[in-house]
Structures are given as C-alpha cells and as structure tokens.
Amino acid sequence: MEQVNGDTLAAARKVVAVHINYPSRAAQRGRTPAQPSYFLKPSSSLALSGSPVERPAGCELLGYEGEIALIIGKAARRVTVEEAWSHVAAVTASNDLGVYDLRYADKGSNLRSKGGDGFTPVGPALLPADAVDPSKLRIRTWHNGELVQDDTTADLLFPFARLVADLSQLLTLEEGDIILTGTPAGASVAAPGDVLEVEAGTIDGNLTTGRLITTVEQGTTAFADFGAQPKVDDLQREEAYGSREAAGLPAPDSALTPELKAKLESVATATLSSQMRKRGLNNVSIDGLQATRPDRRVVGLARTLRYVPNREDLFKTHGGGFNAQKRAIDSVNEGEILVMEARGEKGTGTVGDILALRAQVRGAAAIITDGGVRDYTAVAGLEMPTYFANPHPAVLGRRHIPWDTDITIACGGATVQPGDIIVADSDGILVIPPAIAEELVEDCIQQEKEETFIFEMVKQGNSVDGLYPMNAEWQARYKEWAGNRHD
C-alpha cells in the first residue's frame, strides 16, 4: 500500500478543512449547520507520521481532532455530486491540530490558531478511493493510548462527494489538494509529552491507514509583542475540551437551585398563578394541553425547539439527518424540560416513543408540545411526563419542519425562553421568569399558610365575610395562630 511521503505533502497546494460534519460533534457543539462551511490551512502545516508538533510557548490549549483526509487525484471544477468521488485519488488519516489560545485573533479564519507548522499531520498509508465506500469508513483517535474518538461516516451531515462538489463550485481543486472532512465528538486537548494517534479505515477492518503518530513538544520561543498574544478564557477551555466537566470547570450557576426547586414543588400551581397575576403577569400559562402522567408534578428549566410549517424544499435540507428535533432531544440535560412550539398544529406528531425515551434516558423532567404525539401508548407508558395537544399517527414531515433550538418560542399561547422555570401538574403549566422566582415562591408559601388558617376557620363554622380576604381582626388572629405553629 502506498505511503504518505514528502512528495504527497509537496503536491498539496491547498488544504481545506470542514468545520462540523459529524452528528456527534454537532450535538456536542450544540449547533448543526444547514450547509457545509470551510477554512483553509496552509500547506506548510502538513507533516508526516512520527513528526513532533510544538505547542507554542505561552499557549495552554493545543486541541487535536482526528479526521479522514481526502487526496484529490484530478482537477475538479464545477463537478456534480455524482461525479465528485471520481476526482478523489485516496483517503488517509489526519489530525487537525490547533491552539485555542489564538482562536480569537483571526475572526474565524483559523489562520494562526490552526495554521502552525506541523499542525496537519497526515498518513501513514493511502487507501485508494476506488477501493473504499466513502459511507463505510471508520475514524479513531487515541490519546496516550486511550481511545477517545470512534465514529463512522455512515451518517455524516455532508457526505464526502458533496464536499468535493460544493468546493468545486467556486474554486478548482487541484491534484494533490487535501480536504479534511471533519471530526467526531471526543476531540480534546494535548499537553507536551502526550502521544496522539489517528487511524482511518474501512468499517470491516479490511483496509487501514495504520496509526498516524504525533508527539507533542513544548515550544520555547515566546511570541513577540508586535502580534497577537495567546489568551484563553473558560469558554475556550470548554470548547477545547468538549465540555465544562472535561475542562475541570464548575457547572454554570443555575437559576433553579435545589432549594428553590423544592419550594416550587411545595406550593400549588394555582398559588403561583395568583402571585404572578399580582405582579401583572397574566400571560404565563401554557394552555390547552393534556398530560400522559397527570399524577406527576414537574419543575425544571426550559429548553426550546421550534417547528415551522412544512415546505417540501426546506424539509429536504432541514428535516433529515441529525435535525433540530434530534439535536434538541439529544442535548436536553438532567432535570430540564423540552418545550416545543408546534403552532397548535394537531394534525401530526411532534414527538414519538423513541425520541421521548431518549429524552427520559438523558434525564429530562418532561416534554411539552402544543402539537400531537405519535406512538401515544408507548409515550404514555414512560416515567417522564409528556404534555401534548392530542395523539396523532402522522409523521413530523406532514405538517412541520424542525427548524431551530434554544430560542424564544410560543407554546400553548405563552412565550417561553430558554432558562425560564416551568412548573407543570394536573392544574396546568406555568412559565416563571427566573428573575422573580425566589421572591415569588416566598410569597406563595406565605399565601398558603394564610389559606391554611382560613380553611381551618371556615371548617370551624366561621363566615368568609372579613375572613377571606382577612380584615385587621382576622389578621391579628392569624398572627397568633401562626406563632403557635411549629411546622
């Protein structure tokens, strides 16, 4: 099998890299592009297997990303998707290295963050393109011997032929050019002394590039003061490591603390509603829905998903693959409530048994949709409640396109923003602005204490006149009663 060598590197006049292409990476990043987007890496960043890479002095976050690289075999200009694969000579393994410390410096071009010498190792072997099925390849990455990335090309957002055809619309892909095709979830950060290995091959294991080996070294030459200086913050650390947890960062502060959640669970939905009405908030209930578990009461933070009316051409680009619906389901976190805007359209399902189960497995507290539910019996059998307009057997595409996530939406006549507090039970569903939640629930607790007193007084035979609401005389008696309680 032919090996990547100096001639391979010398033939590459340009290196084009794709930003996001694997559904697992899209889920991790929390965004799925409708079309592929690219950046250029200089050919001087190419390196052979076994070559070291330098983490520049002053930099903290040298990120690695195992990828499959396409080697162009003959020039491609305005080729079709059907023609595109014939312009690829070979595939091999690559590692799209870069320093997040300089990510800010070039406003998305990635020139300094990803263009350093040795930042694009490729190899060691070339797999002939005509000997592989581009939809049946596997990419794996090891960090100090631990397998950290393992995915296949079976469900790419943008298949390889589409990338070649798309790029060729505007620029000529020349013989020897290299296309980096994206990385799956699991990319992270390497430190000096670490060893990185990437291998590409067929899913059945019959063909493999062998392991592309790169050792990280510490740079010693500081950046001069006439250029951008390395700098990082917690956002870049989270992006580089893949999550706040992996980066060793504390979880972000939540508006819904365990103490606040317990208080909200302790008061009636009707009480919350009346206290919000006193604050001038009359349009905070999600109306017209039924529940699979009317016996349950849930409190959680809102995540949002919006459907738009189906339009056949747009459904082709937004309805398939790892679409907004699947991204929302696959990124909902423990205790969160996924709220869906379906425009009150009851003529199709907006969630079914498999996706509802996935939300439950991820720890979602509930799903709320003002549209229909498919597979009703199975969804109703889940522990997690679903609030919905009606059962309906039709699939999503009959009326809806899953469009976007984590934006302000409308559901059941109420505006819902990501991070709003949702309280739902058999009495109804309320949307609570997090800024008022602490004060609101304290007033609710006080109101319910007063109503407990009023209930007892009425039970003893007292008239509601002057008692409900309490006049000054009853207020005095209430204070005495409350002072004698020990709850």
Side-chain angles (χ1 to χ4, degrees):
M1 191 174 296
E2 185 178 351
Q3 301 292 299
V4 174
N5 54 35
D7 291 339
T8 310
L9 305 190
R13 297 183 61 180
K14 53 186 170 290
V15 180
V16 185
V18 179
H19 280 110
I20 293 179
N21 198 13
Y22 285 80
S24 61
R25 180 71 161 179
Q28 189 178 49
R29 286 291 198 235
R31 59 184 185 273
T32 299
Q35 303 292 344
S37 62
Y38 313 92
F39 60 93
L40 285 169
K41 299 189 76 170
S43 58
S44 55
S45 69
L46 292 166
L48 297 172
S49 182
S51 301
V53 66
E54 178 184 291
R55 187 182 75 177
C59 288
E60 172 189 335
L61 303 174
L62 176 67
Y64 60 83
E65 300 175 3
E67 307 201 12
I68 294 172
L70 311 182
I71 313 295
I72 297 298
K74 61 180 179 180
R77 174 69 165 133
R78 295 195 175 114
V79 300
T80 66
V81 173
E82 292 73 25
E83 299 168 327
W85 191 246
S86 68
H87 290 260
V88 178
V91 301
T92 191
S94 62
N95 196 338
D96 183 14
L97 297 159
V99 281
Y100 283 74
D101 313 63
L102 293 173
R103 204 173 177 209
Y104 77 95
D106 294 304
K107 299 186 183 302
S109 78
N110 290 335
L111 178 61
R112 278 174 281 198
S113 62
K114 293 233 178 200
D117 288 355
F119 278 19
T120 317
V122 292
L126 295 168
L127 306 183
D130 59 7
V132 301
D133 181 339
S135 68
K136 296 181 179 179
L137 296 174
R138 184 183 188 188
I139 181 71
R140 291 185 291 175
T141 304
W142 292 263
H143 184 184
N144 292 332
E146 178 185 357
L147 182 65
V148 291
Q149 291 184 288
D150 188 356
D151 211 332
T152 75
T153 58
D155 59 352
L156 292 177
L157 301 176
F158 314 113
F160 293 163
R162 179 174 171 182
L163 299 177
V164 174
D166 184 35
L167 286 166
S168 78
Q169 294 186 90
L170 194 60
L171 54 91
T172 299
L173 295 171
E174 299 164 301
E175 182 180 355
D177 285 351
I178 295 174
I179 302 173
L180 307 185
T181 57
T183 195
S188 189
V189 172
D194 289 355
V195 177
L196 303 169
E197 300 170 276
V198 182
E199 181 181 20
T202 55
I203 292 175
D204 60 18
N206 289 336
L207 290 175
T208 175
T209 62
R211 294 196 186 186
L212 168 68
I213 301 173
T214 306
T215 301
V216 181
E217 297 180 347
Q218 178 59 57
T220 57
T221 303
F223 284 91
D225 58 10
F226 49 73
Q229 302 297 303
K231 64 179 183 180
V232 296
D233 55 24
D234 285 352
L235 175 60
Q236 292 305 321
R237 292 186 179 94
E238 180 180 353
E239 290 269 301
Y241 281 94
S243 68
R244 294 184 65 86
E245 182 181 9
L249 299 171
D253 292 337
S254 172
L256 187 62
T257 63
E259 295 77 16
L260 175 58
K261 184 173 184 288
K263 289 178 181 179
L264 287 167
E265 289 171 338
S266 73
V267 296
T269 306
T271 309
L272 289 165
S273 179
S274 67
Q275 283 294 332
M276 283 197 283
R277 184 175 175 81
K278 287 182 179 179
R279 290 164 170 79
L281 293 170
N282 296 307
N283 299 298
V284 289
S285 62
I286 297 175
D287 297 333
L289 306 186
Q290 53 187 305
T292 60
R293 296 294 306 270
D295 57 315
R296 296 287 301 280
R297 179 179 175 86
V298 294
V299 177
L301 292 179
R303 296 286 299 277
T304 60
L305 166 65
R306 180 168 71 107
Y307 297 109
V308 298
N310 186 28
R311 204 179 88 184
E312 288 76 7
D313 61 323
L314 295 177
F315 193 88
K316 289 179 181 178
T317 58
H318 289 76
F322 199 61
N323 59 33
Q325 179 198 44
K326 293 177 182 176
R327 297 198 307 272
I329 293 288
D330 220 43
S331 63
V332 67
N333 295 314
E334 183 81 25
E336 293 178 337
I337 296 174
L338 180 57
V339 186
M340 301 178 178
E341 174 185 334
R343 311 176 313 284
E345 171 57 66
K346 301 178 180 180
T348 192
T350 55
V351 68
D353 57 346
I354 292 175
L355 293 185
L357 175 60
R358 175 60 176 159
Q360 176 175 289
V361 168
R362 286 194 58 84
I367 290 175
I368 299 172
T369 174
D370 60 357
V373 164
R374 292 184 73 225
D375 313 307
Y376 170 74
T377 301
V379 173
L382 297 177
E383 181 70 17
M384 177 195 71
T386 294
Y387 299 81
F388 63 103
N390 59 277
H392 200 283
V395 296
L396 183 73
R398 181 169 184 253
R399 299 284 173 83
H400 298 300
I401 306 172
W403 198 254
D404 44 17
T405 62
D406 292 321
I407 61 167
T408 300
I409 65 167
C411 181
T415 297
V416 182
Q417 294 191 298
D420 281 344
I421 297 172
I422 305 293
V423 178
D425 62 12
S426 57
D427 274 347
I429 307 168
L430 294 177
V431 182
I432 300 175
I436 69 166
E438 289 280 1
E439 175 191 299
L440 179 77
V441 76
E442 292 299 334
D443 287 350
C444 287
I445 291 170
Q446 177 62 29
Q447 178 181 328
E448 292 197 345
K449 285 181 179 178
E450 293 176 0
E451 290 178 348
T452 298
F453 169 75
I454 293 169
F455 186 86
E456 289 189 11
M457 295 303 102
V458 171
K459 190 176 181 180
Q460 291 174 15
N462 292 285
S463 169
V464 294
D465 184 27
L467 174 60
Y468 186 54
M470 290 186 286
N471 59 22
E473 179 184 350
W474 278 111
Q475 285 282 358
R477 292 179 63 177
Y478 165 73
K479 288 179 181 178
E480 180 180 359
W481 174 86
N484 292 327
R485 287 171 62 92
H486 301 288
D487 52 9

